Amino acid sequence: MISLNLKNKFEALELDDKKDAISSELMFIGELLKKLEIYHGIQNDFKIKNYNLNSQMPENDFLTFIYDDIFEIQKQLLVILSNIQNQ
């Protein structure tokens, strides 16, 4: 669970800064997944997109952008889990 201090800092951010923070966290998760895949010998090239803070992306487009990344993370987790179970 997120610490109250970290949550309060996030809530204090401007909307665009929140979008950037979410994108950064998803990219970090993507890098962790890549390390897990390397550790388990899984050859799978995927990329989590980086939200450009200056893009002024409409809210609906941003949500779709982030949803795509979340879906990719879910898919990669399933690949890793399947690989671990089949060992």
Side-chain angles (χ1 to χ4, degrees), residues 41-66:
I42 301 169
Q43 298 294 326
N44 201 352
D45 190 26
F46 72 96
K47 185 172 183 169
I48 301 299
K49 298 179 302 303
N50 186 11
Y51 169 74
N52 180 355
L53 183 59
N54 298 320
S55 73
Q56 301 300 317
M57 188 181 296
E59 194 73 17
N60 194 49
D61 293 346
F62 172 76
L63 292 172
T64 300
F65 182 90
I66 293 299

Side-chain angles (χ1 to χ4, degrees), residues 14-76:
E14 296 293 323
L15 184 59
D16 281 341
D17 292 331
K18 286 180 179 180
K19 290 177 181 179
D20 190 48
I22 290 169
S23 180
S24 293
E25 294 297 333
L26 289 173
M27 289 180 60
F28 179 74
I29 292 167
E31 290 303 312
L32 292 175
L33 290 172
K34 286 180 183 181
K35 289 179 188 246
L36 275 171
E37 289 181 341
I38 290 169
Y39 179 81
H40 289 286
I42 301 169
Q43 298 294 326
N44 201 352
D45 190 26
F46 72 96
K47 185 172 183 169
I48 301 299
K49 298 179 302 303
N50 186 11
Y51 169 74
N52 180 355
L53 183 59
N54 298 320
S55 73
Q56 301 300 317
M57 188 181 296
E59 194 73 17
N60 194 49
D61 293 346
F62 172 76
L63 292 172
T64 300
F65 182 90
I66 293 299
Y67 181 77
D68 287 345
D69 281 346
I70 292 169
F71 184 81
E72 185 62 38
I73 288 169
Q74 178 184 358
K75 187 171 80 172
Q76 296 309 313

